[in-house]
Amino acid sequence: MGQVIRALVQFEVLLMKKSVVFFIALTFSCFLIPLFLYLGAGNKNNALWIFLHHGQMFFTILLMPLMYSVLYDGEKQKMISSVIMPKLPKGAQYFYCKSCVLWGVVCLFQFVALAIFCVVQWTTHGNAPFLILLHLTVAGVATMGYSVQITAILNLLLRKQLYVNIVMLVYLLISITINLPYISIWFNPDWIISNFFTQSFAFGRVFLFLLMWVLMKVSNHLWMARVQE
C-alpha cells in the first residue's frame, strides 16, 4: 500500500513539474500577487498580512480550474484510465491521491511565499507576524482543500472548461458578497480583515473539512463512473 501511494504521489508531482502553465499560474497567484501588495503597502501591520493572504486566496481560487484542467486534460485522463488504473488495487486510490497532492502543493506554495515575506519583514524591520502566519496557514489549508474539491466535482459534472470557469467565478462572487464562513469559498477583503480572528470564521473554515470529505466521496464515484465509460 505504501509503495503504491508513493508511486502515485511521484506521478502527480511529475505531471506538475512538466506543466509550464500550472507553474506560471501557481507562481502568479501565490507569490507575485502578494509581492505586489507587499511592495505597495505603507504600514506593515497585521491587517496587511491578512490582505496579502486574501490576494493569494482570491487569485488561486480563480485560477484553480485552469490549474486542474492542464494537469488532467483529455489525453492524460485516457492514459491514466488505460495504464495506471488497472494496476491499482483500488481505483479510488488514484482520485484521492491526485486531489490531496494538488491540495498539498498549492498550500505549500502559499505558505512558503508568505514565510519569505515574513523573513524579509523580520530582517528589515526587526519584527514579523509568525503567529499570524500560523492562522493564515490553517485558513489556507481548509479553503484550498475545499477549492480543489469544488473544481474536481465541477469538472466531472460539467466536462467543459468554460462552464467550470463560469460556475467557479459565479460562486466566488456570491461568496464575497454573502461572506458566510460555512459555505463561502472566500470573502470580501474588508470583511476578512475585520473577522479573521473571530470564532465564527474559525468554525466555518473547520466545517469546510467536512464538506471536503463529502465532495471527495461524491467526486470519487463520478470519477470511477467516468473511467468505466
Side-chain angles (χ1 to χ4, degrees):
M1 177 69 73
Q3 292 180 344
V4 173
I5 298 299
R6 184 162 55 251
L8 288 175
V9 170
Q10 291 174 347
F11 174 73
E12 292 303 307
V13 173
L14 182 62
L15 285 181
M16 294 177 184
K17 286 181 178 179
K18 290 186 175 181
S19 177
V20 177
V21 176
F22 175 81
F23 179 77
I24 291 175
L26 196 59
T27 303
F28 174 77
S29 61
C30 294
F31 183 76
L32 293 181
I33 290 297
L35 175 62
F36 295 148
L37 296 176
Y38 181 83
L39 294 177
N43 296 324
K44 303 297 191 291
N45 52 23
N46 291 345
L48 169 66
W49 297 98
I50 299 174
F51 189 60
L52 297 184
H53 182 64
H54 166 77
Q56 263 191 342
M57 299 303 293
F58 183 87
F59 283 94
T60 305
I61 292 169
L62 201 59
L63 292 173
M64 183 59 71
L66 172 65
M67 292 189 284
Y68 190 94
S69 67
V70 297
L71 292 176
Y72 310 110
D73 58 20
E75 292 184 1
K76 294 186 182 72
Q77 294 283 16
K78 291 178 181 179
M79 183 271 292
I80 290 166
S81 301
S82 60
V83 178
I84 296 179
M85 296 293 290
K87 298 180 180 179
L88 299 178
K90 295 181 180 179
Q93 288 177 323
Y94 178 75
F95 181 81
Y96 293 146
C97 182
K98 80 171 187 176
S99 296
C100 291
V101 171
L102 178 58
W103 177 20
V105 168
V106 172
C107 290
L108 179 62
F109 262 70
Q110 290 184 330
F111 172 79
V112 169
L114 289 180
I116 290 174
F117 294 129
C118 281
V119 171
V120 171
Q121 177 76 4
W122 180 65
T123 55
T124 57
H125 294 79
N127 62 80
F130 291 111
L131 184 59
I132 294 179
L133 179 61
L134 178 62
H135 289 277
L136 297 176
T137 301
V138 173
V141 167
T143 305
M144 280 298 100
Y146 184 55
S147 176
V148 169
Q149 294 310 314
I150 289 289
T151 303
I153 199 169
L154 287 177
N155 271 273
L156 290 166
L157 290 173
L158 302 178
R159 302 200 177 194
K160 289 191 176 182
Q161 188 59 38
L162 177 61
Y163 299 156
V164 175
N165 292 338
I166 292 174
V167 173
M168 199 68 168
L169 177 60
V170 170
Y171 184 27
L172 180 58
L173 293 177
I174 292 174
S175 294
I176 64 177
T177 301
I178 61 177
N179 295 311
L180 296 178
Y182 295 89
I183 60 173
S184 290
I185 195 167
W186 200 239
F187 310 92
N188 179 283
D190 294 330
W191 188 93
I192 190 67
I193 290 174
S194 302
N195 295 271
F196 186 81
F197 294 105
T198 62
Q199 287 186 347
S200 62
F201 177 80
F203 288 141
R205 295 295 93 178
V206 170
F207 180 72
L208 288 188
F209 284 104
L210 176 60
L211 292 181
M212 286 161 45
W213 180 80
V214 173
L215 290 173
M216 188 177 290
K217 288 290 185 181
V218 175
S219 297
N220 178 61
H221 286 294
L222 295 173
W223 161 259
M224 293 304 298
R226 173 79 67 86
V227 170
Q228 294 169 5
E229 288 180 352

